[in-house]
Amino acid sequence: MKACFMGLGYIGLPTAITAAMHGVDVIGVDINPTVVEKTNAGQLHIIEPGLGERLREVTANGKLRASVVPEPADAYFIVVPTPFKGNHQPDISYVQAATEAVVPFLKDGDLYVIESTSPVGTTELMAELIFSLRPELKGKISIAYCPERVLPGNVLYELVHNDRVIGGVDDASTAKAMDFYKRFVSGELHATNARTAEMCKLTENSSRDVQIAFANELSLICDRAGINVWDLIRLANKHPRVNILQPGCGVGGHCIAVDPYFITSAFPEESKIIATARHINNYKAEWCAEKVINAILRFELDNNRKPVVAMMGVAFKPDIDDLRESPAKTIIDNVMEARTGAEILVSEPNVKSHPQFKLTPYAEAFDKADIIVFLTAHTPFKQLPWPDQKKVLDFCGIFKH
Ligand code: SAJ
């Protein structure tokens, strides 16, 4: 079995490596020559625990090679980004480009699978594209959708152990795709059709977005009502059928903050809760920035000088180095743009440098600042003492009670 993975990013590379570890001959394709060079040299271009050793193994034993162009294979996997455009409309141009690149290689009996998060109907659309270019392949190849569900930081484990939902454009395609994933997935494989599988991925992340929005809405209400939201949620969760998530400074990353728009842009009339959740989670970052700006002005009025402010954490969630779509960054930007004259120190213990912000070691920022703003609940921040003499704005529950 030879498989061609189109896209060697956060999902494509670990999946390609996992398939190679399970005996598949893998050709990994990426349009970025640096990614290809590094991969062939056995060097990771992303950060993911345990993946470096596995990459070295499968490049050394020849099971995985990278290239900027596809090669003939038995199965093709589309694992490229699907961002959204300015108006929150999904951009499937990378999926289309990767599909067009493999079309000339497709032959009788091959499998074509999309893993990229995609709007409902994308797999059928790509099937139409393939058959418009290669009409003789109709009924001869298998076409399916199988979304990834892994959590960054635990990818190697989850790629193998998570259940997967697999939906073909027909039953034979579903069966053929399931046969492939059986090679390395020990979780259950659930058969469905392509549209349901596409919607399932969007539903999973939208569900989490809605639940986080509920927690964030509670945090706004509690702030007005003088109630500690962390205490409130802890107590409400003592009910056997209540399980509220944690509020934060917004929702970041490139999945939960993006995927719900794939539903709202296609079904605007029907997706009221999903759209409102997006709105609440985006608003939460603006609300946090307003709180910081107000605290700066209050400090100046009370002390007759401008404060030093520590912005603690830039990553989009705890203990990672990923800053994409981070609400913490939005908050820091908004506070800086307000030009209050306060000295703003930015700390992010998980990265060495930042293209926009000069980073200050977190212990130093904590000591120097008059106002401490916790944006990301990184573990080292939790060891810091409660600062009696300073104003603390804890948006992520470092000091929960
Ligand atoms: N967050 C909160 N409160 C919470 C939990 C999370 O504010 O109680 C925030 C985080 O701080 C972060 C954002 O939500 O800003 C997203 O973090 P996350 O840990 O919920 O999820 P991601 O984006 O790292 O990964 C998600 C996962 N999806 C689900 O849990 C339904 C993962 O399984 C998916 O594979 C991934 O999206 C993806 O690639 O789609």
Side-chain angles (χ1 to χ4, degrees), residues 148-150 201 205 208 212 246 252 255-256 316-317:
E148 60 79 19
R149 300 169 131 178
V150 293
K201 171 69 191 183
N205 281 349
R208 195 153 167 88
I212 297 169
Q246 300 294 298
C255 306
I256 295 183
F316 86 83
K317 67 177 188 175

Side-chain angles (χ1 to χ4, degrees), residues 52 148 236 241 307 339 370 380 385:
E148 60 79 19
R241 285 172 295 284
R339 302 194 184 286
D370 303 297

Side-chain angles (χ1 to χ4, degrees), residues 154-373:
N154 198 25
V155 168
L156 271 182
Y157 177 87
E158 294 204 357
L159 265 177
V160 173
H161 293 89
N162 288 357
D163 284 13
R164 299 216 47 164
V165 172
I166 301 178
V169 293
D170 49 43
D171 290 348
S173 293
T174 308
K176 180 113 179 172
M178 289 182 79
D179 277 345
F180 179 83
Y181 284 97
K182 266 183 209 149
R183 289 166 187 270
F184 63 87
V185 176
S186 65
E188 250 185 86
L189 302 177
H190 304 274
T192 181
N193 56 47
R195 294 177 83 82
T196 308
E198 289 162 345
M199 187 63 184
C200 191
K201 171 69 191 183
L202 304 180
T203 300
E204 290 159 16
N205 281 349
S206 298
S207 154
R208 195 153 167 88
D209 199 40
V210 169
Q211 291 175 59
I212 297 169
F214 182 69
N216 278 332
E217 182 164 294
L218 284 178
S219 73
L220 304 181
I221 295 167
C222 286
D223 184 69
R224 291 285 299 274
I227 293 169
N228 180 318
V229 68
W230 314 101
D231 260 345
L232 172 79
I233 291 175
R234 182 178 58 82
L235 295 171
N237 283 348
K238 299 287 178 199
H239 185 290
R241 285 172 295 284
V242 173
N243 190 8
I244 304 169
L245 292 181
Q246 300 294 298
C249 62
V251 166
H254 42 105
C255 306
I256 295 183
V258 174
D259 299 358
Y261 291 121
F262 289 21
I263 298 179
T264 58
S265 63
F267 310 100
E269 286 307 312
E270 295 80 8
S271 55
K272 298 284 190 271
I273 290 179
I274 298 171
T276 304
R278 276 289 64 239
H279 177 75
I280 292 169
N281 287 333
N282 285 338
Y283 171 69
K284 183 68 195 283
E286 289 170 30
W287 181 88
C288 293
E290 281 303 311
K291 283 269 166 198
V292 179
I293 294 163
N294 286 340
I296 292 171
L297 299 177
R298 180 82 258 160
F299 182 94
E300 198 180 347
L301 283 175
D302 292 347
N303 297 277
N304 223 11
R305 69 174 173 87
K306 307 259 184 210
V308 177
V309 182
M311 304 296 263
M312 308 289 276
V314 190
F316 86 83
K317 67 177 188 175
D319 301 328
I320 59 163
D321 65 343
D322 193 338
L323 314 183
R324 288 175 295 176
E325 313 285 333
S326 174
K329 180 168 175 303
T330 307
I331 295 167
I332 299 167
D333 279 340
N334 287 7
V335 171
M336 285 180 166
E337 278 162 20
R339 302 194 184 286
T340 56
E343 186 186 351
I344 312 287
L345 306 175
V346 179
S347 292
E348 175 42 70
N350 297 305
V351 298
K352 288 199 180 74
S353 62
H354 188 273
Q356 189 187 338
F357 308 130
K358 177 183 173 296
L359 298 179
T360 304
Y362 73 91
E364 186 185 325
F366 183 82
D367 283 344
K368 278 191 181 161
D370 303 297
I371 301 173
I372 320 256
V373 184

